[in-house]
Amino acid sequence: MEFATDDSIVAIATPPGRGGIGVVRIGGPSAQTIALQILGRNEQLTPRHATFARITAGRPLTGRHEGLGDEVVATYFQAPHSYTGQDIVEISAHGSPVVLNAIVRAAMNGGARLARPGEFTLRAFLNGKRDLVQAEAVGDLIAAATPLQARVAFDQLEGTLTRRIAEVDRVLFDLIAKLEASLDFPDEGYHFVTPAEVGTTIGHVIRDLDQLLVAAGRGRMIREGATVVFAGRPNVGKSSLFNVLAGVDRAIVTNVPGTTRDLVTEIVDIEGIAVTLVDTAGWSASTDVVETEGVLRGQNARGIADLIVVVVDQSEALSSEDRQLLEATASQRRLVVLNKADLVDAVSGFGRTLRVSATTGAGIEDLRCAIAAALAGDDALRDTASISNTRHIRLLEEARTHLNAAQVAAQEEGTPEEFVLTDLQAARAKFDEVVGVRTSEDVLAHIFENFCIGK
Ligand SMILES: Nc1nc2c(ncn2[C@@H]2O[C@H](COP(=O)(O)OP(=O)(O)O)[C@@H](O)[C@H]2O)c(=O)[nH]1
Ligand SMILES: [Mg+2]
């Protein structure tokens, strides 16, 4: 796939539907010419100035759309001082799909092509306005569902991750340069770097990379959200807790055990993490077919959960079902919660386990914090994770593998420097791929096709 940037593209940049204002974006070498035609104007637009114009029939908005017109404001961003690095004209009209589509059609009549999803941002990347991490961050920022997701995305947009990778890369580059210099002057027997130094330096790079990768698990959770499944025998209050956390009465609450037969899900913001809560049917050896099906679904849901909240009714002594479930989930990431704390305390041996009451709301804030901490670690909120994107995580893990190989090679007596160099260069290539210095066109196409049109 070829990425052309020498033609002009057009798209509605605002969300579909009606609104106070809608923006049509025209970008490319003939953006200004096309815009002037639409605006019915001979005089050039002044860069970064808002220009008022009235577009009416009789100009390019004619034909089938006779009589159509609007008052608009056009803003011209002259290359290279624009989002894409090319000329851009943004036409703000009233947010009517009919008007906006007519402007897009007029731009196409004037020679523009309809932009593909993410094509403006792709051009920004191809023109060196943003690296790939930053371009991807634009997509993440737009897609963010919680303030924390938006913060992580904006952090990447500002280049925090890019800078951290550049720091690691600089150390590696310096080491490669020294090793190559040693290779170039073999006869002098002079070495620019001792084998011990090589090993130590690679060790430092690996340590820095590991720090990034540790934060990455948390970052990914923030970016992609998590699935939290409620489990427990019937009537312990799973559905009640689900409803309290979801803030809506989605799950059915009754005092008849085994009422929840299907999985009920709701996406909620828990301390900035977009959490999909899943309420399951009671965990019991039921005979009812429908209920058994629900129980099975519950078991499957537990299998894919990032976290299981095992709910125990603390007003009743532990039953064998409770014990079985506690045992079955012991090796998974789970949180044990004692519900009905407003009633008598009939369980023992749980020590400081979280006590809550779905009825009174007691302990619910603690439960939220505990879920967030179990998912993303205690410092989820204090420290913004730099890596959140699985593409980045995978590439950095691959870089780490090459660095490990380099370190092993460096430590072996008599290994030729070329061997170490090959692995170090392979690691650097992975860093380059993260920021997009060398990224194949299919990867780019894949990244940008998830954008919305007009970005
Ligand atoms: N006293 C008290 N009753 C509760 C509490 N949570 C749930 N219940 C009641 O326990 C019964 C079963 O609740 P439900 O949420 O349907 O349990 P599930 O079967 O585990 O989903 C209902 O009558 C709820 O009103 C609580 O914290 N305190
Ligand atoms: Mg229920």
Side-chain angles (χ1 to χ4, degrees):
M1 182 178 184
E2 260 303 302
F3 295 120
T5 58
D6 53 356
D7 55 351
S8 294
I9 52 178
V10 62
I12 301 175
T14 36
R18 289 159 215 287
I21 292 173
V23 177
V24 174
R25 219 182 206 177
I26 307 168
S30 21
Q32 153 123 267
T33 316
I34 295 168
L36 290 178
Q37 271 178 41
I38 297 172
L39 302 172
R41 209 182 132 95
N42 299 318
E43 210 182 319
Q44 298 273 304
L45 295 162
T46 314
R48 295 177 197 228
H49 273 257
T51 306
F52 177 83
R54 188 182 287 270
I55 50 174
T56 51
R59 304 228 177 85
L61 301 190
T62 46
R64 291 193 298 127
H65 313 288
E66 205 146 24
L68 190 79
D70 196 12
E71 292 174 338
V72 303
V73 171
T75 318
Y76 171 42
F77 301 92
Q78 191 174 29
H81 306 292
S82 73
Y83 183 71
T84 58
Q86 296 181 309
D87 271 4
I88 286 186
V89 179
E90 286 181 1
I91 299 179
S92 303
H94 289 109
S96 145
V98 179
V99 171
L100 297 175
N101 282 320
I103 295 175
V104 167
R105 260 194 303 274
M108 290 170 74
N109 289 342
R113 158 173 75 71
L114 206 57
R116 285 189 295 264
E119 197 166 3
F120 285 94
T121 307
L122 173 63
R123 287 190 173 191
F125 165 69
L126 294 173
N127 289 326
K129 279 276 168 181
R130 298 181 183 286
D131 68 26
L132 197 52
V133 171
Q134 293 171 316
E136 287 172 294
V138 172
D140 284 356
L141 186 58
I142 293 170
T146 76
L148 187 59
Q149 284 177 328
R151 217 175 80 192
V152 171
F154 187 63
D155 214 39
Q156 290 188 0
L157 187 56
E158 291 215 294
T160 310
L161 176 59
T162 308
R163 273 195 297 279
R164 287 200 62 182
I165 290 176
E167 281 164 24
V168 179
D169 189 54
R170 204 161 33 237
V171 178
L172 213 52
F173 178 70
D174 183 58
L175 181 62
I176 289 175
K178 284 179 180 159
L179 280 171
E180 278 179 347
S182 306
L183 274 180
D184 287 344
F185 304 99
D187 299 334
E188 281 87 42
Y190 181 75
H191 280 269
F192 291 83
V193 60
T194 68
E197 277 169 345
V198 176
T200 316
T201 310
I202 298 176
H204 285 160
V205 173
I206 291 179
R207 194 199 52 205
D208 287 351
L209 208 54
D210 278 348
Q211 273 177 5
L212 274 174
L213 283 168
V214 165
R218 183 170 72 228
R220 196 183 69 86
M221 195 74 83
I222 292 168
R223 179 176 184 266
E224 297 182 358
T227 303
V228 173
V229 173
F230 285 84
R233 68 175 166 79
N235 235 22
V236 292
K238 298 179 296 298
S239 300
S240 306
L241 285 173
F242 174 97
N243 286 339
V244 172
L245 286 176
V248 288
D249 281 352
R250 274 292 313 278
I252 304 162
V253 175
T254 67
N255 51 13
V256 182
T259 324
T260 310
R261 293 183 168 173
D262 214 337
L263 299 181
V264 184
T265 66
E266 187 75 39
I267 298 177
V268 295
D269 176 350
I270 294 192
E271 309 289 324
I273 306 170
V275 172
T276 304
L277 294 178
V278 184
D279 186 23
T280 61
W283 198 77
S284 71
S286 161
T287 47
D288 179 326
V289 180
V290 183
E291 200 184 322
T292 309
E293 174 63 23
V295 171
L296 269 179
R297 286 191 198 171
Q299 280 171 0
N300 290 339
R302 292 215 313 274
I304 55 139
D306 294 299
L307 176 72
I308 300 168
V309 176
V310 179
V311 184
V312 173
D313 179 349
Q314 62 105 61
S315 71
E316 290 174 10
L318 273 195
S319 72
S320 62
E321 280 173 286
D322 289 321
R323 286 182 216 282
Q324 274 177 43
L325 182 64
L326 286 167
E327 237 168 68
T329 55
S331 63
Q332 282 165 291
R333 187 141 39 150
R334 70 164 188 197
L335 200 63
V336 179
V337 174
L338 304 181
N339 188 34
K340 308 198 186 181
D342 53 302
L343 304 178
V344 294
D345 180 357
V347 296
S348 57
F350 277 96
R352 295 179 351 139
T353 306
L354 206 59
R355 280 181 156 73
V356 303
S357 167
T359 307
T360 67
I364 297 298
E365 257 328 289
D366 292 343
L367 176 57
R368 282 178 183 279
C369 293
I371 290 175
L375 286 174
D378 283 333
D379 46 3
L381 302 174
R382 265 183 285 122
D383 189 19
T384 315
S386 325
I387 316 187
S388 56
N389 185 311
T390 36
R391 190 184 72 86
H392 306 162
I393 295 173
R394 185 178 46 74
L395 287 169
L396 292 185
E397 278 170 350
E398 285 169 10
R400 197 192 184 292
T401 308
H402 288 301
L403 289 170
N404 278 339
Q407 201 175 32
V408 170
Q411 276 159 357
E412 264 167 35
E413 196 74 37
T415 311
E417 268 123 347
E418 282 97 331
F419 281 35
V420 182
L421 268 172
T422 309
D423 283 320
L424 292 181
Q425 267 147 356
R428 278 199 81 203
K430 297 296 172 190
F431 293 156
D432 285 351
E433 228 180 292
V434 174
V435 290
V437 177
R438 42 180 124 181
T439 308
S440 73
E441 296 212 323
D442 337 341
V443 173
L444 289 181
H446 175 72
I447 289 170
F448 286 97
E449 76 195 6
N450 292 320
F451 272 65
C452 36
I453 293 172
K455 256 294 145 199

